Amino acid sequence: MRASEVRELTDEEIQGKAQELSEEIFRLRLRRGTGQIEDALRIRKIRRDIARVKTIQSERVRAANKERS
């Protein structure tokens, strides 16, 4: 997922996407523990997607706080 794609989402959609990615990484870690994972690099990709989503969330929060001041 690209940052530009995340920026197009609403705040609620971003929050839902973050939750979805967190659940997916949990499932991947479980499968890695049991040796059933096929693409080990998928975990890295999901972690980076989570970081992108959280970064954009914090940018929006900072922008909203700046507008209030």
Side-chain angles (χ1 to χ4, degrees), residues 12-40:
E12 293 81 23
E13 290 173 333
I14 289 176
Q15 189 173 5
K17 190 68 171 172
Q19 180 67 30
E20 176 186 318
L21 290 170
S22 295
E23 290 172 3
E24 185 173 354
I25 200 164
F26 174 76
R27 287 190 302 269
L28 287 172
R29 285 179 176 159
L30 279 177
R31 289 191 356 213
R32 181 180 62 183
T34 59
Q36 297 175 350
I37 193 165
E38 297 158 3
D39 185 11

Side-chain angles (χ1 to χ4, degrees), residues 6 14 18 22 49-59:
V6 177
I14 289 176
S22 295
D49 285 345
I50 290 171
R52 280 186 197 99
V53 168
K54 288 185 177 185
T55 299
I56 292 170
Q57 277 181 326
S58 66
E59 286 175 356

Side-chain angles (χ1 to χ4, degrees), residues 32-49:
R32 181 180 62 183
T34 59
Q36 297 175 350
I37 193 165
E38 297 158 3
D39 185 11
L41 293 178
R42 180 88 174 123
I43 293 174
R44 182 188 300 174
K45 292 175 187 175
I46 298 298
R47 274 194 358 243
R48 289 181 180 176
D49 285 345

